[in-house]
Amino acid sequence: MTYAVELKDVSVKYGKIPALKNVSIQIAEGAFLGIIGPNGGGKTTLLKVILGLIEPEAGEINVFGHPHNQMVDRIGYVPQISNFDRDFPISVLDVVLMARLGGRVRFFHQYQKEDLKKAEAVLDQLNLLHLKDRQIGKLSGGQLQRVLIARGLAVEPEILLLDEPTANVDASSTSQIYELLKNLNQDRTIIVATHDMAAVSSYFDTLACLNEKLYHHGDKRLDQETTEQVFGCPVDLIAHGHPHHVFAPHGEEENND
């Protein structure tokens, strides 16, 4: 079987500090995978390993059965929103078009008509076309996150990686973003690194629980032992906005609401 992404015994260190320890995971085509775990647990590192931005000290990474460094053009990436100069004079359309450069940064670059057509089509798909000329610093947090998703989609990826896509948006925007991702998942594999425990049962098909080591991969229902291993303390998961356990107690099956 060919997987969208497969990692075999991957380890990463920053200096002498371990970030990933012998991580192995097989991600099926069409999966909607949530990677959860504490801050500093290796979620971002795992995404960057798949992208080829970080070279592991050990292990193997394949994308659609080929070495991942041969398949980067089939992967889109949405980074976590970080501090940026909100006065920088760049429009929404220009941000999305940057993805079409393919890593080749050129001064006074002239985009092809096909680039403009694709960028505008993606903005239209995400209901952002009316904002294409707006300066990026004038957007709300939810609008900005959707623009970054549009940029990730502009390369027409078969796999979309997202790092904390709802970290800086309100609850309403969070729901809209996850509904958007669920819709996009109909024709691509989506992998989301998140600390948003409320999304676990509501949106993801499968989960990976990561804290340097991979403690769980598969069923989105977790038991308390696994969550304590990953987070170091008991964790209550929240489903559909209601505070209740969604992991099964030891020896018992989950009761459906």
Side-chain angles (χ1 to χ4, degrees):
M1 178 178 179
T2 300
Y3 295 96
V5 179
E6 184 175 19
L7 279 69
K8 300 178 182 177
D9 297 319
V10 170
S11 294
V12 174
K13 287 184 178 179
Y14 296 122
K16 294 184 178 180
I17 301 174
L20 298 176
K21 296 180 180 178
N22 300 317
V23 171
S24 296
I25 186 171
Q26 297 169 328
I27 304 170
E29 290 188 48
F32 190 8
L33 171 70
I35 304 173
I36 63 171
N39 290 336
K43 301 188 299 294
T44 297
T45 297
L46 183 61
L47 295 186
K48 290 184 176 180
V49 164
I50 296 171
L51 281 165
L53 298 178
I54 293 177
E55 187 69 25
E57 67 168 4
E60 179 182 339
I61 307 104
N62 291 313
V63 173
F64 296 115
H66 300 278
H68 66 131
N69 55 9
Q70 299 176 8
M71 309 295 284
V72 291
D73 60 341
R74 297 171 73 173
I75 305 174
Y77 178 51
V78 181
Q80 185 175 353
I81 295 176
S82 57
N83 293 328
F84 68 98
D85 183 359
R86 299 193 73 90
D87 295 321
F88 190 78
I90 187 171
S91 70
V92 166
L93 180 60
D94 286 332
V95 169
V96 176
L97 280 169
M98 288 172 63
R100 304 289 295 183
L101 290 172
R104 302 179 302 277
V105 179
R106 303 171 184 170
F107 290 106
F108 309 113
H109 177 79
Q110 295 294 316
Y111 291 101
Q112 302 296 317
K113 288 183 179 180
E114 180 62 26
D115 295 326
L116 290 167
K117 181 179 178 181
K118 182 60 185 178
E120 290 186 345
V122 171
L123 287 172
D124 189 33
Q125 181 184 4
L126 272 59
N127 297 317
L128 293 167
L129 188 58
H130 63 291
L131 299 175
K132 71 174 185 176
D133 297 320
R134 184 167 297 185
Q135 191 260 341
I136 195 72
K138 305 300 182 184
L139 301 177
S140 68
Q143 289 171 335
L144 177 57
Q145 189 61 67
R146 284 160 55 209
V147 169
L148 294 179
I149 293 173
R151 185 178 67 173
L153 292 172
V155 298
E156 303 178 90
E158 296 173 59
I159 300 171
L160 185 63
L161 309 180
L162 303 99
D163 192 359
E164 301 284 5
T166 60
N168 295 287
V169 301
D170 59 26
S172 176
S173 295
T174 293
S175 296
Q176 291 175 11
I177 288 168
Y178 276 117
E179 291 294 342
L180 168 64
L181 294 177
K182 194 67 178 175
N183 184 56
L184 294 172
N185 179 233
Q186 294 178 20
D187 56 8
R188 59 182 54 81
T189 303
I190 295 183
I191 303 170
V192 181
T194 183
H195 68 275
D196 184 2
M197 302 300 287
V200 167
S201 70
S202 302
Y203 298 102
F204 300 124
D205 296 328
T206 57
L207 285 179
C209 300
L210 183 68
N211 189 356
E212 295 182 9
K213 298 179 180 179
L214 188 70
Y215 288 91
H216 171 84
H217 173 230
D219 196 322
K220 62 184 178 180
R221 187 180 63 187
L222 302 175
D223 59 38
Q224 190 165 357
E225 181 180 356
T226 300
T227 58
E228 289 188 18
Q229 283 181 318
V230 175
F231 292 95
C233 60
V235 175
D236 281 0
L237 306 183
I238 301 174
H240 307 290
H242 301 292
H244 64 278
H245 294 293
V246 300
F247 52 73
H250 295 296
E252 300 179 17
E253 290 298 318
E254 178 187 25
N255 293 320
N256 295 324
D257 290 340

